[in-house]
Amino acid sequence: MAAAPSQGLPAEKTVLLTGAAGGVGTLMRALLPPYGYRLRPFDVVPLPGEPDAITADLNDREALREAVRGADAILHLAGISLESTFEKILRANIEGTYHLYEAAREEGVRRIVFASSNHAIGYTPWPAAGTPRVPVATPHRPDTFYGLSKCFGEDLAQLYWDKHGIETVSVRIGSCFPEPGNVRMLSVWLSPADAARLFHAALTAEEVGHTIVYGSSANTRGVWDLSAGEALGYTPLDDSESFAAKLIAEQGELDTNRPDQAHLGGAFVTDPPIWPY
């Protein structure tokens, strides 16, 4: 996989990868280095076989600042990725993200790519067939405390751009798995390879300020406007349609009369999956 020349970062690029032991983080540890990145993995969970990995919590401010020091950019994937209690979400996703931005400010890191989520707008009704794709300017309508934390992260990113000049690309990730697992994901699937392409574009594009983009592949059934990401240089190459026949045969077509399929957040609106820890 050839990497396009970097514009936003120097030729030898050190990227702090928070949440490196998570699902998307594990995928990116394999897919991003071919683009020329030297990853510095960071997670509360130890990473055997990763000699440069840092094991610490985002709320350990001294360890976090040391981890940030000398990085050219940060890819922030850490945090709780499902619904949980407000107290747990507050500590991991809200306070943890604040501490990360403070460490970046203190250490002079000027580019962050923030893993936001479609659940920041999860209560937005599923668009009717034939209507325009959902724009990034759609107002926040979080479907869970998890989605609420992503709204906070986007707004925090805007504040740190306006107040401190730290640039962020907030990526509203859909469903980033090797393949979609249900009919809703046919619209919001982000293949791992396209995720790497999108993160690379977000890390290297010039003058992003605070830019919000949707994170999905070039899905035939896509519902999000991907033009903001394309403006950064993102060209998605994958399409969930190759999985459609099997999923539809098993589950039927998407039915927006069903409560769990009536909104962009899907089942997060009706019966959100709960963080097990």
Side-chain angles (χ1 to χ4, degrees):
M1 176 172 54
S6 174
Q7 298 176 4
L9 296 176
E12 192 171 67
K13 304 170 284 290
T14 297
V15 174
L16 176 67
L17 175 64
T18 72
V24 179
T26 297
L27 293 167
M28 293 307 105
R29 279 159 46 208
L31 292 170
L32 280 177
Y35 285 91
Y37 299 108
R38 183 173 65 250
L39 298 180
R40 184 183 295 168
F42 180 101
D43 205 292
V44 70
V45 177
L47 285 165
E50 292 276 6
D52 296 329
I54 299 164
T55 304
D57 189 285
L58 288 171
N59 292 294
D60 183 341
R61 302 189 69 171
E62 184 176 344
L64 181 59
R65 183 166 179 178
E66 184 175 345
V68 167
R69 188 170 299 134
D72 297 302
I74 300 167
L75 175 54
H76 181 39
L77 305 178
I80 292 173
S81 59
L82 302 172
E83 180 63 317
S84 188
T85 65
F86 180 76
E87 290 75 17
K88 290 181 180 179
I89 293 286
L90 174 65
R91 178 170 174 79
N93 292 17
I94 295 177
E95 293 178 350
T97 299
Y98 161 70
H99 292 151
L100 180 78
Y101 270 83
E102 272 296 282
R105 180 187 64 80
E106 291 165 345
E107 294 298 328
V109 177
R110 314 311 295 175
R111 176 69 58 90
I112 296 174
V113 178
F114 168 59
S116 186
S117 170
N118 65 102
H119 297 292
I121 57 164
Y123 261 107
T124 302
W126 194 272
T131 58
R133 292 195 170 202
V134 178
V136 293
T138 297
H140 286 162
R141 293 186 68 175
D143 51 28
T144 46
F145 291 137
Y146 165 69
L148 181 66
S149 74
K150 297 306 181 178
C151 297
F152 171 83
E154 290 182 7
D155 289 344
L156 187 74
Q158 185 66 54
L159 173 64
Y160 272 70
W161 164 240
D162 290 333
K163 193 175 184 69
H164 302 297
I166 295 175
E167 294 191 299
T168 298
V169 178
S170 293
V171 182
R172 289 179 179 165
I173 298 172
S175 300
C176 186
F177 302 104
E179 59 182 71
N182 58 49
V183 291
R184 173 184 171 274
M185 290 187 192
L186 293 172
S187 298
V188 301
W189 181 59
L190 176 63
S191 74
D194 277 342
R197 294 181 186 104
L198 179 51
F199 291 145
H200 173 60
L203 287 165
T204 57
E206 295 184 332
E207 298 181 0
V208 301
H210 176 224
T211 298
I212 300 171
V213 304
Y214 286 117
S216 79
S217 290
N219 302 318
T220 297
R221 300 164 190 258
V223 292
W224 295 331
D225 181 358
L226 303 185
S227 61
E230 291 165 352
L232 301 181
Y234 171 51
T235 303
L237 300 181
D238 297 322
D239 186 344
S240 65
E241 200 63 18
S242 59
F243 304 100
K246 178 177 181 292
L247 287 171
I248 292 169
E250 294 171 350
Q251 303 172 15
E253 292 277 3
L254 189 81
D255 180 3
T256 56
N257 291 313
R258 287 177 43 174
D260 64 337
Q261 296 182 358
H263 300 87
L264 289 177
F268 273 63
V269 171
T270 56
D271 186 23
I274 303 298
W275 186 248
Y277 306 109

